[in-house]
Amino acid sequence: MGTDVLSELKARGLMYQCTDEGALREHLRPPHARRLYCGFDPTADSLTIGNLVPMMVLAHFQRAGHTPVVVMGGGTGLIGDPSGKTAERTMMTPEVVASNVAKQRPIFERVLDFSRENRPIMTDNAEWLSRLSYIDVLRDVGKHFSVNMMIQKESVKARLESREHGISYTEFSYMILQSYDFLHLYRDLGVTLQVGGSDQWGNIVAGADLIRRVEASSHQGIEASSEDKSEVSRAHLAFGMTAPLVTKADGGKFGKTESGAIWLTKERTSPYAYYQFWLNAADADVIRFLKIFTFVPVTQIEEVQRSHGAAPEKREAQRLLAREATKILHGEEAMKHAEHAAAALFSGDIAHLDRETLGEVFANVPSTMHKREELAAHSTNAAADQPGLPLVDLLPLTSLCKSKREAREHLGAGAVSMNGKVVGVEDRLTVKDLLHGEVAVLRRGKKAWHVTRWE
């Protein structure tokens, strides 16, 4: 306890907006241990790398002695947040939402520390939202919301101006439900701070304002010390804070690759693919990503920044980022496994990779399917000491070259390797060359790979 968490978040680029920074700083001052929450949308059975930003914010608050509350959107997920959406979401059944909530839960056990005394509190807003009466919501909550204010919210305003899509009353009401979440958590768990991405600013402010309107006159809610009561008198009952939207320096969309989004579960994005995503960070982004997505001390990151600036070709910063980010989400063993596989790919020495790792490493590499009998047929027709399929015949069937003439040129120049070994014009692929009895991996030059799979 005692860490200045707001200064830490600022130094890491994790603090964007705050309802009242001075009052919040005082509110968090030791020896007070506060509770804060962030909600997560169960639109899929996993979360993406963008969701990791508010998770890291929760983790830093926990390390400073405060208690994070994770709210799974089992209730609000049935409605759908219009923030950042140009069209109405597809409604999910209660069963799908509940399944997504259950599958997302393990992610938080990686990023947050459940062994600490201030262990995270996991909850689901379906527990309280499903019990609400429509009449009660209109009387007790809806009366505190101005429609004039709600239609000025950016996501609502954009949809109202869209002739094609518009916005339903269902999604328009989402702000009221999220605001009620904050009020319920304030009353039930003593939560006084909501955090989220910058796209949630309107919803967060609305929730803090609802608490002030409902609770200020009665001074209900958290048990307050005399110091806290002065905050109540200044209407500082609840606070809101957002983290910035993470972007890439080149203007590209963060968290997207050619193969799609980067997910936070190994079933969606393997630890190796996750490691590779960070390893491929641009020099212009890597230091910022180290501050946001790892727990490496800022002073150490600044030292790495200096050494990286002097010798960027060594990619010291990228390797540190890949190791630390992968360790947080997938653990030490998975990180070392991914690091070993990445080294094998770089060197071309892939023959010793196990079947699962080999599949992960080359999951997104061009590939072709072939009949194993093609190798047997060539063995029958060839001389006894020359079984197998000539590589000069195989290469034009892959993405590595277009003709036998081009294949001979590359093979003659020693530019082609098979399963990590350089091959020439006279070499052939035989059954005994297949890795795990299934695949042969070809490479031209340093970066052009192709996987041949043999049924």
Side-chain angles (χ1 to χ4, degrees), residues 68-103:
V69 177
V70 174
V71 176
M72 309 299 294
T76 45
L78 294 170
I79 302 302
D81 183 0
S83 300
K85 301 297 177 183
T86 58
E88 193 88 1
R89 290 175 183 260
T90 301
M91 285 285 189
M92 295 185 295
T93 65
E95 292 76 19
V96 169
V97 172
S99 174
N100 289 346
V101 166
K103 290 176 180 177

Side-chain angles (χ1 to χ4, degrees), residues 57 98 125 143 170 183 253 262 294 373:
V57 172
N125 62 17
K143 68 181 180 180
T170 300
L183 176 62
K253 191 166 183 179
I262 301 297
T294 78
E373 60 206 44

Side-chain angles (χ1 to χ4, degrees), residues 155-295:
S155 60
V156 173
K157 190 175 181 180
R159 292 273 288 277
L160 287 174
E161 294 171 353
S162 170
R163 293 182 180 179
E164 182 180 357
H165 298 293
I167 186 169
S168 70
Y169 179 74
T170 300
E171 284 198 352
F172 180 69
S173 304
Y174 185 90
M175 179 189 293
I176 296 176
L177 292 182
Q178 184 168 328
S179 298
Y180 184 81
D181 281 348
F182 200 175
L183 176 62
H184 172 84
L185 293 167
Y186 173 85
R187 287 171 167 172
D188 201 54
L189 294 177
V191 172
T192 54
L193 170 64
Q194 182 182 175
V195 300
S198 58
D199 62 329
Q200 292 297 309
W201 179 245
N203 291 335
I204 291 173
V205 171
D209 187 56
L210 176 63
I211 290 172
R212 285 193 289 271
R213 289 173 182 272
V214 173
E215 299 290 321
S217 59
S218 61
H219 288 196
Q220 293 174 354
I222 60 170
E223 294 183 2
S225 66
S226 58
E227 182 183 3
D228 291 326
K229 289 176 182 176
S230 67
E231 291 180 2
V232 171
S233 66
R234 297 196 304 270
H236 288 133
L237 289 168
F239 300 87
M241 195 198 86
T242 65
L245 175 68
V246 177
T247 57
K248 292 168 67 176
D250 64 4
K253 191 166 183 179
F254 172 75
K256 293 283 187 179
T257 66
E258 291 181 5
S259 58
I262 301 297
W263 297 87
L264 302 183
T265 49
K266 64 180 181 180
E267 291 79 13
R268 289 268 199 153
T269 298
S270 71
Y272 172 78
Y274 192 75
Y275 181 94
Q276 283 292 312
F277 172 78
W278 296 115
L279 192 64
N280 292 327
D283 289 336
D285 294 320
V286 64
I287 298 302
R288 186 161 49 95
F289 290 173
L290 269 168
K291 291 178 180 178
I292 294 173
F293 295 104
T294 78
F295 296 120

Side-chain angles (χ1 to χ4, degrees), residues 359-406:
E360 290 179 7
V361 169
F362 294 104
N364 299 311
V365 166
S367 66
T368 46
M369 294 295 298
H370 305 267
K371 295 291 185 182
R372 182 187 288 262
E373 60 206 44
E374 292 179 37
L375 302 180
H378 280 81
S379 290
T380 301
N381 298 329
D385 60 342
Q386 287 187 312
L389 176 63
L391 294 181
V392 72
D393 292 333
L394 176 60
L395 282 172
L397 303 178
T398 73
S399 59
L400 300 182
C401 63
K402 297 178 180 178
S403 66
K404 287 187 179 182
R405 180 189 59 79
E406 190 179 348

